[in-house]
Amino acid sequence: MKTILNLLKDKPRLYRIVAESDTPAGKTFDITVMVAIALSLIAAFIETRPTTNELLKDILTVMEYVLTVFFTIEYILRIYCYPRPKEYALSFFGIVDLLATLPLYLSLIPMLSSVRYLYIIRAFRLLRIFRVLKLFNYINEGYLLMESIRLSLRKILVYFLFVVILVVIIGTLMFIIEGNQPGSDFTDIGTSIYWAIVTLTTVGYGDITPVTAIGRFFSGVVMVLGYTIIAVPTGIVSATMIDETNRKVKGDNCPRCGKKVDKKDRYCRNCGEKL
């Protein structure tokens, strides 16, 4: 107990253990967390199987609560020892850590009992394995992808708005073509828009199909158009990734996160960017 109290008083040392993996203690802590995450995921898979007996379900439920208490303490320790707690709390992993902890507590409310399985979100935390195992190339590629998506977000949102307008128009046209036909499934514009979304995304459930020759021809046009619709966002992100890849080190700062790096460093110690 005295050792724990001394550790709590020594925030820099606690931070090195909880938030970094450069020391044996830090690496052991991270591996312990990942093992706990893996156990919680396995427990969820087994518990939801219809063939699992009640005794085993009860054991797994108790294990879930024990693990959730462990993750809660871990989250509190991270908030406590981080130099800038707000920055951690609002970061990607900070939000994931919180969302992975809350569902089981929310499930104690009768109306929200099914919410408990949302703790599956903690699977995102397994991404920390790249940092623990020093797989900087993978960290760099993951950061590049996330940064490219972030920079492309406004373009994608504008394109998404265009697609929404397009499916409304396509659905309305299909209702005009098929709506008055005997035995037609296009009973209203809302149903027709649903069909337009399913067809344009090339999913094609087949629950709603046109009955006229014009409607079938129009469906074929929409299906072909769907391949183009899907390709555009991919092109936007790919172009941004190429631009990001060509960024170079400026001065002594990392081109990705902007933090200081040494001239001898091959990778940024903060984000894993190859220098």
Side-chain angles (χ1 to χ4, degrees):
M1 181 61 70
K2 187 177 180 179
T3 304
I4 296 174
L5 291 175
N6 290 335
L7 183 60
L8 289 174
K9 293 178 182 178
D10 190 354
K11 283 189 178 183
R13 182 186 170 198
L14 182 62
Y15 177 82
R16 288 193 296 271
I17 295 174
V18 173
E20 297 180 354
S21 56
D22 296 330
T23 62
K27 184 174 291 187
T28 301
F29 180 82
D30 277 345
I31 292 174
T32 302
V33 170
M34 285 188 285
V35 169
I37 292 169
L39 288 174
S40 67
L41 298 179
I42 293 170
F45 298 152
I46 297 174
E47 186 184 350
T48 52
R49 286 175 58 87
T51 55
T52 305
N53 62 63
E54 293 301 321
L55 177 59
L56 181 56
K57 283 185 177 181
D58 292 339
I59 294 172
L60 293 175
T61 300
V62 172
M63 188 173 77
E64 285 173 17
Y65 280 104
V66 171
L67 290 173
T68 299
V69 171
F70 169 75
F71 291 128
T72 303
I73 294 172
E74 181 215 357
Y75 180 76
I76 293 171
L77 286 176
R78 289 182 185 276
I79 293 288
Y80 171 73
C81 71
Y82 263 65
R84 294 180 294 276
K86 186 177 179 180
E87 182 178 321
Y88 161 71
L90 297 177
S91 67
F92 172 76
F93 280 113
I95 294 171
V96 169
D97 291 346
L98 179 62
L99 293 178
T101 306
L102 286 179
L104 211 59
Y105 295 119
L106 293 175
S107 68
L108 298 175
I109 303 172
M111 294 176 59
L112 301 175
S113 57
S114 297
V115 176
R116 58 181 296 210
Y117 295 110
L118 284 177
Y119 69 74
I120 208 81
I121 293 171
R122 65 181 57 144
F124 276 113
R125 303 188 61 196
L126 292 174
L127 292 173
R128 284 194 172 108
I129 193 172
F130 296 123
R131 185 188 67 186
V132 175
L133 299 180
K134 304 299 182 184
L135 300 176
F136 289 120
N137 280 330
Y138 293 96
I139 295 175
N140 176 51
E141 298 305 324
Y143 185 87
L144 174 62
L145 177 61
M146 294 300 295
E147 185 67 9
S148 299
I149 293 174
R150 186 186 69 81
L151 294 173
S152 305
L153 193 58
R154 284 186 293 182
K155 297 176 185 176
I156 293 174
L157 288 175
V158 172
Y159 184 71
F160 177 74
L161 178 60
F162 166 76
V163 172
V164 169
I165 294 170
L166 186 62
V167 295
V168 170
I169 294 172
I170 291 173
T172 303
L173 289 174
M174 201 61 176
F175 175 72
I176 293 171
I177 296 170
E178 294 278 330
N180 296 323
Q181 299 299 319
S184 174
D185 295 320
F186 296 85
T187 55
D188 55 80
I189 291 179
T191 302
S192 300
I193 291 174
Y194 160 76
W195 169 86
I197 295 171
V198 170
T199 306
L200 198 64
T201 55
T202 69
V203 175
Y205 289 125
D207 53 342
I208 302 174
T209 55
V211 295
T212 66
I214 298 176
R216 290 170 181 169
F217 173 77
F218 188 61
S219 294
V221 173
V222 174
M223 291 173 195
V224 174
L225 182 63
Y227 287 101
T228 307
I229 294 293
I230 294 171
V232 172
T234 306
I236 292 172
V237 176
S238 298
T240 307
M241 288 182 69
I242 293 171
D243 292 339
E244 284 293 292
T245 303
N246 293 331
R247 292 175 64 182
K248 304 297 182 182
V249 177
K250 295 180 181 179
D252 295 329
N253 296 327
C254 172
R256 299 281 179 228
C257 64
K259 294 185 178 180
K260 291 287 184 181
V261 292
D262 295 330
K263 292 182 179 179
K264 62 181 180 179
D265 290 343
R266 294 180 59 194
Y267 297 92
C268 174
R269 65 188 65 185
N270 299 295
C271 69
E273 166 69 3
K274 188 175 181 179
L275 305 174

